[in-house]
């Protein structure tokens, strides 16, 4: 189902330079995005646009997801924490790259969405991803430190517990900025000695990261 649409989307993302690394391209090929979106928007699964997943939340546009995935240098065997499970699509792409030797845990604050992500992941063969309901701005200390942390909602600042839970040489990607505007996709690398190297990768637009180390409410 949707094979032609998926192929065309991937070709478009490669042509415009969003998709580059073979392992990221392979993950886009193998993970069926249409299995992660609600039925009412299923026909738009392979359009390059964000889609509503209910509860005021979205699955990001494929080009934005490509930017996120490319910027974090995911590799086989890594331990990855995602904040904002949403539909589970990002977590599935990540699980595809880190493989069975790696580990992916994704945290979602909206319990209904955590359930949606879990059932999508199980149905598509990524049941090994652990979905946790909670405030991801606190990280997930009991399994820290992390090789990679992927934040998929926008924080006003980099949440301190997340940078603390990153391994030396680990990388964290997050949208940082204001409510729905002036946001920047930001990649942080923890250097030897714990110093943070911060790189900005261009503008983006995400829903707010709500929690103790994020925004205090929806709007
Ligand atoms: N990665 C998702 C996917 O693949 O569909 C898309 C995520 S959506 C853009 C952002 C998600 O972050 C929403 O589901 C929202 O409920 C969640 N969120 C916001 N603040 C959060 C927090 N403090 N902890 C965990 N999840 C949070």
């Amino acid at each position: 189902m949707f094979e032609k649409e998926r192929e065309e989307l991937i070709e478009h993302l490669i042509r415009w330079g969003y998709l580059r690394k073979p392992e990221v391209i392979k993950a886009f090929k193998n993970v069926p995005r249409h299995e992660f979106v609600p039925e009412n928007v299923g026909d738009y699964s392979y359009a390059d646009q964000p889609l509503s997943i209910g509860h005021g939340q979205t699955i990001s546009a494929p080009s934005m997801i490509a930017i996120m995935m490319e910027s974090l240098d995911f590799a086989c065997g890594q331990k990855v924490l995602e904040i904002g499970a949403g539909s589970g699509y990002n977590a599935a792409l990540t699980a595809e790259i880190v493989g069975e030797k790696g580990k992916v845990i994704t945290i979602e604050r909206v319990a209904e969405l955590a359930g949606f992500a879990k059932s999508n992941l199980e149905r598509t063969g990524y049941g090994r991803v652990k979905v946790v309901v909670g405030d991801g701005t606190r990280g997930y200390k009991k399994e820290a430190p992390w090789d990679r942390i992927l934040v998929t909602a926008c924080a006003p600042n980099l949440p301190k517990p997340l940078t603390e839970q990153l391994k030396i040489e680990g990388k964290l990607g997050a949208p940082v900025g204001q409510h729905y505007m002036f946001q920047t996709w930001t990649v942080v690398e923890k250097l030897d000695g714990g110093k943070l190297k911060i790189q900005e990768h261009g503008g983006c637009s995400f829903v707010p990261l709500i929690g103790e180390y994020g925004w205090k409410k929806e709007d």
Side-chain angles (χ1 to χ4, degrees):
M1 223 176 144
F2 293 111
E3 269 142 38
K4 187 165 169 279
E5 288 86 346
R6 201 186 320 177
E7 233 170 74
E8 283 174 357
L9 170 69
I10 292 167
E11 272 171 28
H12 164 87
L13 296 174
I14 293 172
R15 192 177 332 123
W16 289 101
Y18 291 106
L19 281 179
R20 287 190 293 263
K21 297 189 178 103
E23 60 275 19
V24 183
I25 296 172
K26 186 166 165 246
F28 268 72
K29 283 186 178 161
N30 287 350
V31 179
R33 184 172 159 93
H34 62 275
E35 296 283 359
F36 290 83
V37 305
E39 249 178 66
N40 64 322
V41 292
D43 285 350
Y44 303 96
S45 300
Y46 296 96
D48 191 14
Q49 63 181 77
L51 297 172
S52 168
I53 53 171
H55 306 275
Q57 306 302 323
T58 53
I59 173 173
S60 302
S63 51
M64 186 66 234
I65 295 176
I67 291 171
M68 296 153 77
M69 300 300 297
E70 289 278 346
S71 70
L72 282 184
D73 300 319
F74 290 111
C76 186
Q78 287 174 342
K79 226 171 108 183
V80 181
L81 178 69
E82 182 194 32
I83 315 301
S87 67
Y89 179 66
N90 263 145
L93 289 172
T94 310
E96 180 71 27
I97 300 175
V98 303
E100 309 240 338
K101 288 190 188 139
K103 185 172 207 173
V104 180
I105 298 184
T106 181
I107 309 183
E108 172 56 55
R109 70 181 275 272
V110 179
E112 291 86 344
L113 285 176
F116 180 57
K118 193 170 177 355
S119 69
N120 294 338
L121 286 160
E122 279 170 0
R123 197 180 55 256
T124 50
Y126 299 98
R128 62 182 185 273
V129 174
K130 182 170 165 184
V131 183
V132 175
V133 179
D135 175 8
T137 68
R138 296 181 187 145
Y140 200 65
K141 211 170 175 181
K142 65 177 158 183
E143 299 252 12
W146 302 94
D147 293 300
R148 297 288 182 269
I149 300 178
L150 172 64
V151 185
T152 67
C154 182
N157 299 296
L158 292 167
K160 199 157 182 260
L162 299 187
T163 53
E164 283 172 355
Q165 289 175 30
L166 203 55
K167 272 187 196 170
I168 297 294
E169 292 184 5
K171 288 186 178 176
L172 173 154
V176 179
Q178 298 181 23
H179 255 50
Y180 298 101
M181 52 184 175
F182 309 127
Q183 302 178 2
T184 306
W185 181 252
T186 306
V187 176
V188 178
E189 187 179 353
K190 197 179 231 183
L191 304 176
D192 231 2
K195 197 166 177 256
L196 300 179
K197 178 178 161 197
I198 298 177
Q199 283 185 311
E200 296 183 333
H201 285 245
C204 55
S205 180
F206 281 79
V207 295
L209 182 75
I210 297 161
E212 189 179 346
Y213 297 89
W215 298 98
K216 298 297 172 247
K217 56 187 177 72
E218 306 263 348
D219 41 38

